[in-house]
């Protein structure tokens, strides 16, 4: 009778084990989904260069900006993106020139304190590279732009933090014709180039 009782209990044990396994599978996380990333302001660089009277390029930066985007780790693709640049933070290491860049000849920061990029579509190319399409609102005008993007390291940040964070690094670049946004000061006479070469380097943290 003891042996018979044990045989009778085995199916119940098997069914219990199967139920636990099924529950575990159901509770397991689904495939990775796109997640929002917030750009770290301490690791966010925006630089530009523009030809000066044909002699050489003048280099500059924007010192304040913020942004966020949605990224799919599984497919390594970017989705929506938004970057806001404080135009008054322009810096070219020359006080008089910087004041000129802020006035109505160029950025007109009193009337347009922000330049805003909105990413609308991403096309992956070779591994880790792609093209991000979107629009740039500058001087009150919105024009299409396209950035060449390189997706760099994606991993948990290596330094000790109160809360572990997953960080993605991105490099991007594009070339703008400032006259497309009505910024045509000194273009016709060749004193200041029309083409502005932009570079972006930043780290962003998964939310």
């Amino acid at each position: 009778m003891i042996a018979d009782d044990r045989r009778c209990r085995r199916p119940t044990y098997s069914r219990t084990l199967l139920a636990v396994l099924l529950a575990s599978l159901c509770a397991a996380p689904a495939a990775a989904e796109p997640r929002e990333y917030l750009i770290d302001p301490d690791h966010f660089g925006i630089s530009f260069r523009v030809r000066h009277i044909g002699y050489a390029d003048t280099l500059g930066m924007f010192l304040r900006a913020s942004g966020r985007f949605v990224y799919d780790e599984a497919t390594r693709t970017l989705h929506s993106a938004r970057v806001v640049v404080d135009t008054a933070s322009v810096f070219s290491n020359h006080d008089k020139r910087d004041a000129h860049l802020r006035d109505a000849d160029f950025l007109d920061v009193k009337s347009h304190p922000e330049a805003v990029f909105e990413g609308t579509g991403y096309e992956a190319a070779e591994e880790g590279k792609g093209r991000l399409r979107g629009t740039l609102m500058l001087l009150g005008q919105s024009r299409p732009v396209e950035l060449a993007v390189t997706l760099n390291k994606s991993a948990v940040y290596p330094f000790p933090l109160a809360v572990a964070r997953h960080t993605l690094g991105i490099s991007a670049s594009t070339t703008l014709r400032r006259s497309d946004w009505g910024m045509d000061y000194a273009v016709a006479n060749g004193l200041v180039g029309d083409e502005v070469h932009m570079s972006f380097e930043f780290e962003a943290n998964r939310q």
Side-chain angles (χ1 to χ4, degrees):
M1 291 296 295
I2 294 174
D4 291 343
D5 288 346
R6 287 175 179 171
R7 282 196 298 270
C8 290
R9 284 197 294 269
R10 280 174 188 160
T12 300
Y13 173 79
S14 298
R15 286 195 297 270
T16 302
L17 179 60
L18 180 61
V20 171
L21 290 173
L22 288 173
S24 299
L25 289 173
C26 293
E33 296 182 351
R35 297 281 296 276
E36 185 179 52
Y37 284 70
L38 185 65
I39 296 176
D40 182 352
D42 294 331
H43 298 93
F44 192 0
I46 303 176
S47 63
F48 63 87
R49 59 184 177 89
V50 60
R51 186 65 64 169
H52 179 245
I53 324 179
Y55 291 117
D57 287 347
T58 294
L59 306 179
M61 301 179 66
F62 288 95
L63 303 181
R64 293 187 298 275
S66 61
R68 61 181 64 237
F69 57 88
V70 174
Y71 175 66
D72 189 328
E73 183 79 36
T75 61
R76 299 208 74 190
T77 55
L78 294 168
H79 293 269
S80 59
R82 177 180 171 86
V83 173
V84 179
V85 179
D86 178 352
T87 55
S89 73
V90 66
F91 172 79
S92 67
N93 201 32
H94 189 283
D95 291 344
K96 188 175 181 179
R97 179 172 56 227
D98 290 349
H100 191 192
L101 289 173
R102 294 185 185 104
D103 75 17
D105 285 339
F106 291 99
L107 294 167
D108 194 8
V109 302
K110 289 184 178 180
S111 299
H112 306 284
E114 294 180 342
V116 181
F117 171 77
E118 298 273 3
T120 57
Y122 182 76
E123 181 179 348
E126 58 188 283
E127 180 63 24
K129 296 183 182 295
R131 311 288 297 187
L132 178 62
R133 296 182 301 277
T135 58
L136 174 64
M137 176 68 75
L138 178 65
L139 296 176
Q141 301 182 50
S142 183
R143 299 284 184 271
V145 296
E146 185 174 279
L147 285 76
V149 173
T150 299
L151 304 173
N152 301 321
K153 183 176 180 178
S154 178
V156 175
Y157 210 69
F159 301 119
L161 298 167
V163 178
R165 69 187 190 198
H166 191 99
T167 300
L168 170 67
I170 291 182
S171 304
S173 62
T174 191
T175 298
L176 311 174
R177 288 188 178 276
R178 58 190 181 90
S179 60
D180 289 346
W181 284 265
M183 190 191 298
D184 54 9
Y185 174 84
V187 169
N189 59 18
L191 293 179
V192 181
D194 191 15
E195 290 191 343
V196 182
H197 305 280
M198 305 288 303
S199 296
F200 307 83
E201 297 286 341
F202 58 85
E203 299 172 9
N205 302 315
R206 182 189 292 168
Q207 300 304 290

